[in-house]
Amino acid sequence: MEHEVFVPVPAERLREVLDDPARVARAVPGLQQDAGAEPVAGRLKIRVGSHSVTYRGAVRVSRLDDGTYAVEGAAEESRGSGSVELTLRIALREAEGGCTVAYDGTASADGRIKDLPAEAVEGAVTRLLNRFAEHLAAAATDDAGDTDEEGAARAEEQPAPDSAPDPGLTEEPPAPERPSAFGSDRPSPSYGRADEDDEDDEEDIAEAAHARRTMIGRSAEEVDHAPPRGRYAPVPAPQTVTPPAPLRWAAPAAALALASAIVAVRALRRRR
């Protein structure tokens, strides 16, 4: 099997990632690492067409003298008796704007994947290698960004040169001018009206003092129910003088009694 992938990252950056097994494990797409196992070990699910096969195994990456990397891996099906063995060589070649990742190797497998179409298996392996190269480039880019941020942070922590201006040569901004009452369009107040208001205020103060003096010695109930005095006292409503009801009926009753007495006297005279 031979396959090549171009990534926009220098080859030296990719070598730094391939030299670190922990970063290689993070670059394997879909790898679920086992706790306490080797860096590049765990479970990996591969989708072939409409089928998916899950393998459990480990991969070892080592750097050779010629600058290439040897990848050896073995895994077994998590639900079945199938297995797969992989021998791969990775070469990094400088290219314009990045580098080319070249894969060359062989693989042997049995079990469920052997019964699937060869074209579907080849397509699944190609997608896996493409994503692995993309993840390597992303890891190298992230590490470069972290290095640049650390350098910028160290540069910010260094004290800046003393370039502060001389305090004696610094000009202070002029103080804002206060608005003048003579230059504004607002009309001046009327002093005659102000004097009248002052006199009214003095009268109110005098009445309030008198009310306080009259309330001294009274109970709270008397003070609450006491009518206001002075200018705030209520004006009594005009009263209409009307004669009482008994006097209004006295004259008709007297006239009736007098007429009855006259009639009685005349009747007695006739009988005699």
Side-chain angles (χ1 to χ4, degrees):
M1 180 184 62
E2 296 180 358
H3 185 63
E4 294 183 356
V5 182
F6 174 80
V7 292
V9 177
E12 190 63 28
R13 295 282 179 83
L14 291 183
R15 290 190 179 93
E16 294 176 359
V17 178
L18 290 173
D19 290 337
D20 188 356
R23 296 161 70 182
V24 172
R26 291 194 296 268
V28 176
L31 177 63
Q32 299 179 2
Q33 293 181 265
D34 294 335
E38 297 181 9
V40 192
R43 300 174 57 187
L44 179 63
K45 180 184 290 187
I46 299 177
R47 181 173 295 277
V48 181
S50 59
H51 303 273
S52 60
V53 183
T54 302
Y55 291 95
R56 181 185 297 274
V59 176
R60 294 178 179 84
V61 181
S62 58
R63 186 170 184 175
L64 303 179
D65 296 339
D66 58 354
T68 61
Y69 291 86
V71 181
E72 297 178 354
E76 297 180 354
E77 293 182 5
S78 59
R79 297 181 180 180
S81 58
S83 62
V84 62
E85 294 182 0
L86 173 68
T87 302
L88 193 65
R89 188 175 68 92
I90 302 177
L92 304 178
R93 297 195 298 268
E94 294 287 351
E96 184 179 357
C99 71
T100 301
V101 182
Y103 301 100
D104 183 11
T106 60
S108 61
D110 57 4
R112 294 178 55 190
I113 198 169
K114 189 176 181 181
D115 299 334
L116 299 177
E119 296 179 358
V121 174
E122 183 178 356
V125 174
T126 301
R127 288 194 304 271
L128 183 63
L129 296 178
N130 290 340
R131 294 178 60 188
F132 178 66
E134 294 173 358
H135 290 183
L136 290 176
T141 304
D142 294 341
D143 295 340
D146 296 340
T147 303
D148 295 341
E149 291 179 359
E150 292 177 0
R154 287 195 296 269
E156 291 179 358
E157 292 178 358
Q158 295 180 358
D162 189 7
S163 60
D166 188 359
L169 300 178
T170 303
E171 296 182 359
E172 297 182 357
E177 298 181 359
R178 296 183 178 179
S180 175
F182 298 99
S184 61
D185 298 335
R186 184 176 59 184
S188 59
S190 176
Y191 293 99
R193 181 61 182 173
D195 296 341
E196 294 177 2
D197 295 341
D198 294 341
E199 292 177 1
D200 294 341
D201 295 341
E202 292 178 359
E203 292 179 0
D204 295 342
I205 295 173
E207 291 181 1
H210 176 70
R212 284 196 298 271
R213 287 195 301 270
T214 56
M215 291 180 183
I216 296 174
R218 291 180 170 182
S219 62
E221 184 177 359
E222 292 176 351
V223 172
D224 292 340
H225 295 283
R229 299 180 179 181
R231 62 187 298 181
Y232 300 103
V235 178
Q239 298 181 358
T240 304
V241 179
T242 58
L247 296 178
R248 188 169 50 186
W249 295 99
L256 180 60
L258 180 58
S260 299
I262 295 172
V263 172
V265 171
R266 288 181 181 182
L268 290 175
R269 287 179 181 179
R270 289 178 183 179
R271 287 182 183 181
R272 290 179 182 178

